[in-house]
Amino acid sequence: NAGVTQTPKFRILKIGQSMTLQCAQDMNHNYMYWYRQDPGMGLKLIYYSVGAGITDKGEVPNGYNVSRSTTEDFPLRLELAAPSQTSVYFCASNDWGSGNTIYFGEGSWLTVV
Amino acid sequence: TQLLEQSPQFLSIQEGENLTVYCNSSSVFSSLQWYRQEPGEGPVLLVTVVTGGEVKKLKRLTFQFGDARKDSSLHITAAQPGDTGLYLCAGYETGANNLFFGTGTRLTVIP
């Protein structure tokens, strides 16, 4: 089983460039999440989705956009990349909001120079 | 504003020692989870606690959810080098659909 798949694994961006981090899950989960993790720190929620066509902001949404056109895919868009967006990005999914195991992708390492 | 504060932030102990990690908040959580994360990987779920006062054991790890469902602790007995990692608590705030993570505790167990 693939689980949660993120691409790319590593990326270097120049300031002002844009890019999309892809995330796909094959478990038919309705909830999907994007987190960022700065070195040695916990995860901060960027955006989440409770189903296709529904997205909502998390703790740190500024500078990012998401869409959820299908149950499987939840891409994260970075517009006008800034050095403060250098981080590790994790996509995750689960079956419903409370109490169920959340499955994480392997992470995407992004550096903005 | 950080919903979940963990302490200590860093912990380095000798193999065989016991330790406790704390996760505190002013918010009430419908459930709270503990994860461990290895370098270069995503977090992996260890346990979910749902009921106030609940205690769960996973081999040498004991997890407790506070009576008011605002805090939790993780106790490790006779720590081993394999316990080394970043421990994260995470909670579903009552009425919310998203999972908030704590600040993390980086544990190093020295052989």
Side-chain angles (χ1 to χ4, degrees):
Chain A
N1 290 335
V4 179
T5 304
Q6 290 181 235
T7 56
K9 182 85 170 177
F10 300 97
R11 182 73 185 268
I12 298 175
L13 276 182
K14 293 184 178 179
I15 294 172
Q17 286 185 322
S18 299
M19 74 160 296
T20 299
L21 297 177
Q22 301 291 342
C23 176
Q25 52 92 8
D26 61 359
M27 297 172 281
N28 202 34
H29 287 164
N30 50 356
Y31 281 68
M32 295 188 75
Y33 311 83
W34 273 106
Y35 290 91
R36 60 174 286 172
Q37 184 176 34
D38 297 329
M41 303 296 290
L43 283 74
K44 293 196 173 180
L45 183 66
I46 305 171
Y47 271 95
Y48 68 101
S49 169
V50 301
I54 306 170
T55 63
D56 209 344
K57 296 178 180 179
E59 302 170 80
V60 289
N62 291 343
Y64 306 94
N65 277 299
V66 293
S67 59
R68 185 95 182 271
S69 57
T70 66
T71 299
E72 294 78 18
D73 301 301
F74 190 41
L76 176 72
R77 178 86 177 158
L78 280 74
E79 305 282 1
L80 299 175
S84 61
Q85 292 178 303
T86 294
S87 191
V88 183
Y89 292 84
F90 287 98
C91 180
S93 72
N94 69 343
D95 221 0
W96 57 36
S98 183
N100 276 29
T101 301
I102 186 168
Y103 297 87
F104 284 87
E106 294 184 336
S108 296
W109 274 252
L110 176 67
T111 301
V112 181
V113 296
Chain B
T1 303
Q2 184 66 49
L3 274 181
L4 286 162
E5 295 284 348
Q6 287 184 236
S7 61
Q9 188 176 359
F10 299 96
L11 187 57
S12 182
I13 62 172
Q14 294 289 329
E15 182 177 359
E17 292 184 348
N18 302 332
L19 67 114
T20 302
V21 176
Y22 300 93
C23 175
N24 294 296
S25 176
S26 57
S27 299
V28 176
F29 293 94
S30 58
S31 67
L32 198 137
Q33 299 176 331
W34 284 92
Y35 292 80
R36 186 170 76 196
Q37 185 179 18
E38 306 285 349
E41 298 180 5
V44 175
L45 180 68
L46 295 173
V47 76
T48 300
V49 285
V50 179
T51 306
E54 183 176 2
V55 177
K56 281 192 174 179
K57 292 191 174 184
L58 184 67
K59 296 183 180 179
R60 293 176 294 100
L61 278 61
T62 302
F63 305 86
Q64 184 163 7
F65 201 11
D67 291 341
R69 291 187 288 131
K70 292 183 178 181
D71 55 84
S72 181
S73 63
L74 158 61
H75 182 79
I76 301 178
T77 303
Q80 299 177 0
D83 296 328
T84 294
L86 180 66
Y87 288 82
L88 297 162
C89 65
Y92 283 99
E93 198 175 15
T94 302
N97 293 320
N98 45 28
L99 186 64
F100 289 95
F101 277 81
T103 48
T105 295
R106 184 162 298 280
L107 171 65
T108 302
V109 181
I110 303 167

